Amino acid sequence: AALVYTAAHVGPGALGPGRIVSVYGVNIGPAQPCHGSADPTRRETPSLMRPVQTAIETQVFPTKLCDAEVEVGGVPAGLLFASAGQINFKVPQAVRVSGETTVRVRYKGQAGPLVSVALGPGDLTPSSEALAASMWAGLQSVAWMREYGRGLENCVSVRPHVNLQGGLYGHAYHCGSTREDVVVDSFFFPVDPAAPKVRLMRADVRPVNVYPELSAEVEGLLAARLTTAYGPGAKPGDVFEIGVWGRERGRVWRAGPVTIFLHRNRRHVEPVGLRDGVVLVAVREEILAQRRPVGVRARELPEMVGKRSSTAAEARSSFVRLMRGPAEDREQRAEALVAADELARRLGGLLVKPEAAAGADQVRRQLAAYGVRYGEIGHYSGELEYDYSLLARAWKEFPETRWGQRAFLELQRMACATKVFGCERPNCFRAVIDEGERFLERYPDSAMRVEQLFHLALAHDTWWSLAQAPPGDTTAEGAKVTKASAERARVRAIELYEELLRVAPGTHQAASAEVALPRLKLRLDTAERSFFCYSC
């Protein structure tokens, strides 16, 4: 077993009276974690050998918790937390501050081995008031919008997350500084698509080490400070990438252009994400705005698709009606094919349900007469695989119509799932570029021009990013790119994104351009993987 102080430092160390300590092991406690509550009517007198203790170090906790027990020098210790792999306990006040003692864990009466541990007074544990004050001071010291460069220490460059757009994953550099008992993490993001700079746009402030019970006290004190400064705050929506979700999502305050999240977690991921204990996460509004859904939108469906069919029989009937409909004008025929394609896709899911099994073969034969053929059940989808042949027909037979061109864009979007363009997997971005450029030459005034420009921008962006991937990057396996070709792709991606900002301001395509352009202009990796089939 290993002993770790969670209040003062990480790593094995000397025990002292009142100290909060964690012991780690295997099957040392219950599979379902238990939390011990302090007796609100009792307090301990601090040991004369360590007279200055925090409030929690003098509280009285149960000595048995979910069948788990800990003895220090043969004296029962108060238990704050017990689980199969970890127990948090409070060292009895009777323990000395020199020499050695022993620690033994018991679970359901079964005693573990005696572990010898050094004794000592240790450093003074910071009080909750002192930690809250230090964290508040750290927040106030953040130099917002500072440009990344000289004078910064303990900084590392960071490759962007594959989900760069739509989250707080876009920082290019992370810097960490420790002041007294508090760590301030600074995150520098590429911003401003016109004149890009890398600026400080997010800061996390957290204690160096803090155990959960002290976290609760610090959180309350910080909430009071934030409420005094910025009002009552509000319950935040889910921000998964910083640990804000579920019951312990905390509260959020708006301070001018900065949003401040205050919450607690029990997990830890370095150097960003979920922190142990209490944390302040402050983010500039420009970065939070990037959390809007800015990727390729969901399919636009014709009205004639109708309501979602609840049974295979309903979907089959609607499908046949569409395919047998009157051949009026070309636009309507293209629309009917796109609508029938959606119903064929839905049937791929409905036909695998037990209630449709008896008639599934008959339905498949009927649809085959219209060119619809299903494959096996998809590994990820759980549905019968369908090749989107009706979309291909809509584009091939009615290319000048709006719905024919919509079908073309949907086929592009699903390039990794279709064989229409004959793309060489995994490098389907090349086929998207070739076919997309021909589309714009043939239909320069298409109603789908903005979306086609966006697809082309993403494809060139992917080309650039693949060339920046380090050895061993599984998301870039099989990429056929060179540094020279990637530089040409970067220049073209910039041209396309800038055109989107001019012709489609306020759209989700323009929002994507605003995120990608600073990185591209600064020659930073964008982590874009659209139309690259690395997961196929």
Side-chain angles (χ1 to χ4, degrees):
L3 289 170
V4 179
Y5 283 161
T6 58
H9 62 276
V10 174
L15 302 190
R19 286 288 189 187
I20 308 297
V21 179
S22 293
V23 60
Y24 296 91
V26 178
N27 296 324
I28 60 175
Q32 184 67 32
C34 295
H35 296 267
S37 299
D39 187 336
T41 65
R42 299 171 62 194
R43 286 283 181 177
E44 293 179 331
T45 300
S47 168
L48 294 176
M49 292 178 284
R50 186 170 175 263
V52 180
Q53 298 184 20
T54 64
I56 197 168
E57 291 174 329
T58 63
Q59 288 183 318
V60 178
F61 290 88
T63 56
K64 189 171 184 178
L65 184 61
C66 293
D67 293 322
E69 302 170 84
V70 175
E71 294 176 353
V72 180
V75 179
L79 304 185
L80 290 75
F81 173 81
S83 69
Q86 176 183 350
I87 296 176
N88 296 348
F89 65 91
K90 191 166 73 70
V91 178
Q93 297 291 345
V95 166
R96 304 184 308 276
V97 295
S98 61
E100 288 188 346
T101 189
T102 58
V103 174
R104 187 196 296 272
V105 175
R106 296 179 187 274
Y107 180 53
K108 292 186 176 179
Q110 295 291 321
L114 279 174
V115 179
S116 296
V117 185
L119 293 170
D123 299 327
L124 181 67
T125 302
S127 67
S128 54
E129 291 79 7
L131 277 174
S134 294
M135 290 180 67
W136 181 257
L139 177 64
Q140 303 308 311
S141 69
V142 176
W144 293 110
M145 300 295 288
R146 176 180 180 175
E147 190 171 346
Y148 182 80
R150 293 180 180 178
L152 294 167
E153 298 179 350
N154 301 317
C155 299
V156 294
S157 61
V158 180
R159 292 192 68 236
H161 193 281
V162 172
N163 186 23
L164 171 63
Q165 301 183 355
L168 302 180
Y169 304 116
H171 59 285
Y173 300 95
H174 162 252
C175 306
S177 63
T178 303
R179 310 174 186 181
E180 298 178 350
D181 301 302
V182 168
V183 176
V184 179
D185 292 311
S186 299
F187 302 93
F188 291 80
F189 290 73
V191 293
D192 191 347
K197 301 287 184 183
V198 181
R199 298 189 182 278
L200 198 165
M201 307 295 284
R202 169 185 167 185
D204 293 7
V205 185
R206 56 190 173 88
V208 173
N209 291 293
V210 63
Y211 44 89
E213 293 73 21
L214 186 60
S215 273
E217 295 179 6
V218 174
E219 183 182 34
L221 292 167
L222 286 171
R225 283 180 178 260
L226 287 161
T227 298
T228 299
Y230 308 117
K235 184 177 181 180
D238 290 336
V239 188
F240 295 98
E241 54 268 38
I242 60 173
V244 176
W245 80 84
R247 291 178 297 178
E248 295 187 11
R249 67 179 63 187
R251 297 190 69 74
V252 63
W253 287 262
R254 185 69 180 268
V258 176
T259 297
I260 303 170
F261 300 87
L262 171 66
H263 66 102
R264 286 180 288 141
N265 287 307
R266 300 187 184 280
R267 294 181 57 203
H268 186 65
V269 180
E270 289 281 8
V272 208
L274 311 187
R275 305 290 191 184
D276 269 336
V278 63
V279 63
L280 285 167
V281 179
V283 189
R284 292 274 307 187
E285 61 183 353
E286 297 93 332
I287 302 305
L288 282 177
Q290 294 178 4
R291 298 192 76 250
R292 299 190 304 260
V294 294
V296 182
R297 290 187 300 179
R299 297 181 66 186
E300 178 187 357
L301 299 177
E303 290 185 5
M304 62 175 66
V305 171
K307 67 179 181 67
R308 180 169 290 275
S309 304
S310 58
T311 67
E314 290 177 354
R316 180 198 59 79
S317 176
S318 298
F319 175 91
V320 172
R321 185 170 60 254
L322 284 169
M323 296 301 293
R324 291 178 177 175
E328 298 180 9
D329 59 31
R330 292 176 62 80
E331 186 67 66
Q332 287 183 329
R333 290 306 305 145
E335 183 179 3
L337 283 170
V338 175
D341 183 270
E342 171 62 16
L343 290 172
R345 185 190 67 79
R346 293 181 185 178
L347 275 165
L350 293 171
L351 290 175
V352 299
K353 294 183 179 298
E355 59 269 24
D361 289 342
Q362 181 182 355
V363 174
R364 293 178 67 163
R365 286 195 297 271
Q366 187 173 21
L367 267 62
Y370 297 99
V372 175
R373 288 176 172 80
Y374 294 106
E376 300 298 324
I377 296 176
H379 178 70
Y380 296 105
S381 67
E383 301 176 354
L384 294 173
E385 295 290 350
Y386 163 58
D387 63 0
Y388 304 98
S389 58
L390 297 181
L391 276 184
R393 277 187 58 190
W395 162 241
K396 183 178 180 180
E397 297 174 16
F398 308 101
E400 82 287 357
T401 66
R402 178 181 181 278
W403 281 105
Q405 293 177 7
R406 166 58 64 197
F408 173 79
L409 284 170
E410 292 301 332
L411 289 167
Q412 260 191 349
R413 185 174 68 87
M414 299 181 294
C416 291
T418 71
K419 299 179 180 179
V420 174
F421 295 134
C423 69
E424 183 183 352
R425 296 187 183 186
N427 298 278
C428 287
F429 63 91
R430 290 177 176 270
V432 169
I433 291 172
D434 293 342
E435 296 292 335
E437 295 287 5
R438 281 194 283 270
F439 177 92
L440 289 180
E441 289 178 6
R442 187 176 178 186
Y443 304 105
D445 299 321
S446 169
M448 306 296 156
R449 180 176 178 81
V450 166
E451 293 182 58
Q452 182 60 83
L453 289 172
F454 184 46
H455 281 195
L456 286 172
L458 291 174
H460 283 92
D461 194 348
T462 293
W463 195 328
W464 158 258
S465 178
L466 289 169
Q468 315 313 308
D473 185 347
T474 57
T475 71
E477 288 181 358
K480 292 185 176 181
V481 294
T482 63
K483 294 293 184 182
S485 66
E487 175 59 22
R488 293 191 294 272
R490 183 187 72 87
V491 172
R492 179 58 175 151
I494 290 173
E495 294 172 351
L496 290 161
Y497 280 132
E498 288 185 330
E499 183 173 355
L500 286 169
L501 288 179
R502 290 193 304 272
V503 303
T507 62
H508 78 282
Q509 293 96 342
S512 289
E514 290 174 350
V515 175
L517 277 170
R519 301 194 76 98
L520 289 167
K521 291 184 177 181
L522 292 168
R523 288 184 165 81
L524 295 171
D525 189 5
T526 58
E528 188 59 62
R529 292 294 185 270
S530 292
F531 315 119
F532 183 71
C533 313
Y534 66 88
S535 62
C536 292

